[in-house]
Structures are given as structure tokens and as C-alpha cells.
Amino acid sequence: MVMNTTFKTVLVVTFVTLLGYAAAFLIPIPTSWNDSVLGFHWTLANSVLYTLLHAGAAVLFLSGIGAYKAALRSAYMKIAIGIVLVGGGLAQVVFLNIFDLIQTPWVQYGGVMLPFVIAGLAIYFGVRSMATLIGVRSVLRNVWFIAPLLIACVITTSLLPHKPSSLPEMVFDISNAISAWDVILYAASLGLVLKMRAHSGTHYANAISWLAIGLAGSVAITMCILVGTLLSGAAPAGILVDSIVTLGGLLYLKAGYSFARTKEL
């Protein structure tokens, strides 16, 4: 029964993702769009794709959590919230660009980066909770170690030289600082997951390995976006970025599926 439920969940996630991707090609083109018709729909469809992949991964993480104790349910929920915000945060950047909403207060005052701040914290504290339950001992669990590291990296990144940007300098610096913030939190989460992999039994080995791969992808993607932004003065976009973000969503989807399967074994 549980296996059937997990398989059905995967089918629903796949169907909704493909449906959303196809529906994106039916959205009317805004008058502010200056590129080709195909360019608009392709950009929008890709953002919908990786948003729904991340959301589907969260659904799989949360499927059947009622079978776990409260502490583990809480850890799963934090990780799931973080994964949803990663996909949603990236998608909103695309939406703001293609619908010419860059000049809105939400962007100009840095609100656009809020999902990324919360995503990094949610994933880190979710993984930290899991590591605590397993009995992992690591300096990466120590908030008093992570907090100064975050502050140092955020300040350093905001002072780095960069290409001129169309955004106000303060907003641009905050954007890059938050990317650095997420790199540190994803990397710390990855380090804890690798420690968990060494401490956990065979029952969770596959699931934890895929979570590690997903987090490694988040570290790489966020670092690429940060470096690309500093070098160009704007967040990188295009088929390469869409591809690696979609790949990141697929990795988390596989991790979510692997965790859902642990209830069957």
C-alpha cells in the first residue's frame, strides 16, 4: 500500500509538472516583452518546470511523515520548505524580468531575496535537526560557529568589485551577500549530511546519499549565480542556467523519492 502511494505521488508530480510546462506556452505575451515569442514562452516554461520539480520534491519528502516521531517530522518539514523556496525564489526572478517588474518596490528594496534567506535557513536547520537525532557530532551543528562565518562571508562578498549593474548598489550588494549566505548554509548542510551518511545504517543510506547530491548541486548552482552576477553585473540567465537549475530540481526530486521509499523498506 505504501509503495503504491509513493508511486502514485510520483505520477501526480510528473503529470502536474508536464501540465504546468505545457500551460506556460499558452500565457499571453506582455506588451513589455521585447524579445521573440518563443523566447518568452521558453523562458516562462523553464521557470515553471523547475519550480514544480522543487515543489514535487517537497511533496515526496513530506509524504507519509505521519509515521515518524515529531522531531523527525519537523526536520523533514524544514527541508521541504527550504526546497520549495529555492525553486520558487528562482522562478520569481524570471517572472519579474519577463513581466518587466524589476522597478517594483519588492525588487528595489531587496524583498525578492527573502525566499533565498529563508530557504538556506530552513534547509540548514532541517538537516541540523536530523543530524542531532542521529547523534552526529560536528562543528557544523554549532550555530555559534556558523553565524560568524556567515557574517564574515556576507560582508566580504558585499565588498567585492563587480561590473556595473542596473540595480541600485545596495540592492545589488544585498543580492550577492544572500547568495554567499546560501552557499555557506548549503555547504554546511552538505557537510552534515555526509557525516550522517557515515553514521546511518543501510536503511537510510541511499536516501541520504541523494540528499547529499542535491545539496552539492545547490552549492554549485548558487556559486555559479554569484560569480556570474559579479562578473556581468546581472544575474545570469539563459539555457545553461535553466538547465542546471532544472537538474537541481530533479536531484531533489530523486532525494525526496528515496526518502519516501524508506517507509517501504
Side-chain angles (χ1 to χ4, degrees), residues 14-36:
T14 302
F15 174 75
V16 171
T17 300
L18 293 176
L19 182 64
Y21 185 80
F25 287 91
L26 303 177
I27 302 297
I29 301 174
T31 56
S32 58
W33 182 256
N34 297 318
D35 206 340
S36 67

Side-chain angles (χ1 to χ4, degrees), residues 1-221:
M1 177 64 70
V2 176
M3 184 173 70
N4 289 337
T5 300
T6 302
F7 183 67
K8 288 177 182 177
T9 302
V10 172
L11 288 179
V12 170
V13 167
T14 302
F15 174 75
V16 171
T17 300
L18 293 176
L19 182 64
Y21 185 80
F25 287 91
L26 303 177
I27 302 297
I29 301 174
T31 56
S32 58
W33 182 256
N34 297 318
D35 206 340
S36 67
V37 173
L38 181 60
F40 171 80
H41 286 123
W42 180 258
T43 302
L44 180 61
N46 285 337
S47 69
V48 170
L49 174 63
Y50 55 68
T51 300
L52 292 176
L53 285 174
H54 283 79
V59 169
L60 284 167
F61 268 104
L62 294 177
S63 63
I65 63 171
Y68 296 117
K69 293 182 179 179
L72 191 54
R73 288 201 303 270
S74 175
Y76 272 49
M77 290 180 67
K78 291 171 188 172
I79 294 172
I81 289 170
I83 291 172
V84 168
L85 288 173
V86 169
L90 289 167
Q92 69 156 344
V93 174
V94 175
F95 275 74
L96 291 168
N97 275 290
I98 65 177
F99 289 104
D100 196 26
L101 299 173
I102 294 298
Q103 301 303 319
T104 59
W106 176 250
V107 176
Q108 295 298 310
Y109 292 100
V112 66
M113 299 306 295
L114 186 59
F116 299 104
V117 175
I118 301 174
L121 287 172
I123 290 175
Y124 171 73
F125 279 107
V127 170
R128 181 176 178 269
S129 296
M130 290 181 68
T132 301
L133 292 171
I134 293 176
V136 170
R137 294 185 177 181
S138 170
V139 69
L140 296 175
R141 272 183 50 195
N142 190 337
V143 175
W144 296 108
F145 170 78
I146 295 296
L149 185 60
L150 281 172
I151 293 172
C153 288
V154 162
I155 293 174
T156 300
T157 303
S158 64
L159 296 176
L160 290 175
H162 59 81
K163 289 285 187 179
S165 171
S166 59
L167 292 173
E169 182 66 22
M170 180 177 293
V171 175
F172 185 81
D173 289 340
I174 290 174
S175 173
N176 291 327
I178 291 173
S179 292
W181 165 283
D182 278 342
V183 169
I184 297 300
L185 289 174
Y186 294 152
S189 300
L190 174 59
L192 286 174
V193 169
L194 293 176
K195 283 275 190 177
M196 289 164 54
R197 177 68 177 80
H199 284 72
S200 61
T202 55
H203 184 71
Y204 282 99
N206 185 58
I208 291 177
S209 295
W210 277 106
L211 179 56
I213 294 172
L215 286 168
S218 288
V219 173
I221 291 167

